[in-house]
């Protein structure tokens, strides 16, 4: 069955880089996503990557995908206090199929 | 903002009462989804719709029903609310052509006493 695993907590100092990790089990996953949730808010799509890509960069965000190990990571450069949130990794087979989510990683940024 | 609204945003109800949550979109997207978010579980799919009157069950569909009589509205009904259905409910839509991505509404916080 499908399963997405994430570590639950990460704490970093302001200005450092954050790396949030995710592993998934479904080798048929075609799309992998990162969402951000701030307290009391909905989920905000940060970025996504196709399974035929190894890396995607978008400003401070870098996504790395290791298909062999089914490992996905999100690197946030120059982490700011505004980056404090819960980050969810998610996967699906196509853009319209329902998402399977990890339990989320709570990122705390220390000033 | 992908033009998704949810109502109500907050609700307190009693065990055994029916509850209907509404998701409304403004742009006629075909696919809509209901997820629930609980501590320690992330988000889990309840039901989804791939068109008017076309719906399918998700991982945690027991105790829930849905209806989609028009493109813009997707309703989630708890026929007889239980305390285990206390949760935050999120609606999502799939947006895009060629590359579809899912966007989420602001959520409905439901407390069943």
């Amino acid at each position: 069955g499908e399963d997405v695993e994430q570590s639950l907590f990460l704490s970093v100092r302001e200005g450092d880089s954050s790396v949030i990790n995710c592993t998934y089990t479904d080798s048929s996953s075609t799309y992998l996503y990162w969402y951000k949730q701030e307290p009391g808010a909905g989920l905000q799509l940060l970025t996504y990557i196709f399974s035929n890509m190894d890396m995607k960069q978008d400003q401070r965000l870098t996504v790395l995908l290791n298909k062999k190990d089914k490992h996905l990571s999100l690197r946030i450069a120059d982490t700011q206090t505004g980056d404090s949130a819960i980050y969810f990794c998610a996967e699906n087979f196509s853009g319209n199929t329902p998402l399977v989510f990890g339990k989320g990683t709570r990122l705390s940024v220390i000033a | 903002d992908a033009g998704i609204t949810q109502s109500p945003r907050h609700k307190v109800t009693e065990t055994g009462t029916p509850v209907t949550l509404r998701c409304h979109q403004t742009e006629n997207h075909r696919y809509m989804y209901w997820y629930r978010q609980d501590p320690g579980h992330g988000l889990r799919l309840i039901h989804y719709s791939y068109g008017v009157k076309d719906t399918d069950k998700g991982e945690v569909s027991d105790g829930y029903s849905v209806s989609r009589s028009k493109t813009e509205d997707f309703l989630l009904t708890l026929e007889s609310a239980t305390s285990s259905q206390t949760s935050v409910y999120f609606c999502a839509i799939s947006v895009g052509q060629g590359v579809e991505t899912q966007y989420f509404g602001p959520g409905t916080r439901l407390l069943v006493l």
Side-chain angles (χ1 to χ4, degrees):
Chain A
E2 301 168 342
D3 201 8
V4 178
E5 297 287 339
Q6 299 179 242
S7 53
L8 295 182
F9 302 98
L10 177 66
S11 182
V12 299
R13 294 200 175 276
E14 190 175 19
D16 288 350
S17 291
S18 307
V19 179
I20 303 171
N21 294 302
C22 169
T23 57
Y24 60 98
T25 58
D26 190 349
S27 59
S28 65
S29 294
T30 303
Y31 298 77
L32 297 133
Y33 307 82
W34 285 104
Y35 284 86
K36 175 184 180 182
Q37 185 181 35
E38 298 183 16
L43 276 72
Q44 172 194 352
L45 178 64
L46 286 178
T47 187
Y48 61 91
I49 189 168
F50 298 116
S51 61
N52 62 358
M53 298 169 65
D54 297 321
M55 186 183 84
K56 180 177 181 181
Q57 188 158 359
D58 184 0
Q59 299 182 329
R60 291 191 299 124
L61 305 179
T62 302
V63 179
L64 295 177
L65 175 60
N66 181 328
K67 291 182 286 294
K68 174 176 172 290
D69 295 336
K70 297 189 181 67
H71 183 265
L72 182 73
S73 67
L74 174 69
R75 178 177 180 269
I76 305 173
D78 187 25
T79 311
Q80 302 298 308
T81 55
D83 294 323
S84 293
I86 301 176
Y87 290 80
F88 290 95
C89 170
E91 62 169 358
N92 65 2
F93 178 69
S94 73
N96 291 321
T97 57
L99 293 167
V100 176
F101 284 87
K103 292 181 172 56
T105 300
R106 184 178 297 273
L107 174 65
S108 297
V109 182
I110 305 164
Chain B
D1 182 2
I4 312 170
T5 57
Q6 293 185 234
S7 58
R9 294 293 314 281
H10 302 270
K11 186 169 182 67
V12 181
T13 191
E14 294 186 348
T15 297
T17 60
V19 176
T20 295
L21 308 183
R22 180 183 184 234
C23 177
H24 178 79
Q25 57 150 325
T26 58
E27 298 180 2
N28 293 322
H29 296 291
R30 182 179 170 195
Y31 286 80
M32 300 183 75
Y33 314 80
W34 278 107
Y35 296 87
R36 60 178 286 176
Q37 183 179 21
D38 304 290
H41 289 279
L43 279 84
R44 293 177 292 174
L45 180 72
I46 305 171
H47 283 276
Y48 72 103
S49 170
Y50 46 96
V52 173
K53 299 191 190 307
D54 292 324
T55 65
D56 206 351
K57 294 180 180 180
E59 176 189 359
V60 291
S61 60
D62 287 349
Y64 301 94
S65 63
V66 290
S67 66
R68 190 157 178 214
S69 58
K70 46 187 178 177
T71 303
E72 58 265 37
D73 288 326
F74 191 29
L75 304 180
L76 177 71
T77 297
L78 291 66
E79 301 290 349
S80 176
T82 67
S83 58
S84 65
Q85 293 175 312
T86 291
S87 187
V88 182
Y89 291 86
F90 287 101
C91 174
I93 60 175
S94 183
V95 176
Q97 291 183 342
V99 179
E100 296 88 5
T101 51
Q102 292 183 27
Y103 291 86
F104 284 76
T108 294
R109 194 171 294 271
L110 177 67
L111 175 61
V112 183
L113 299 174

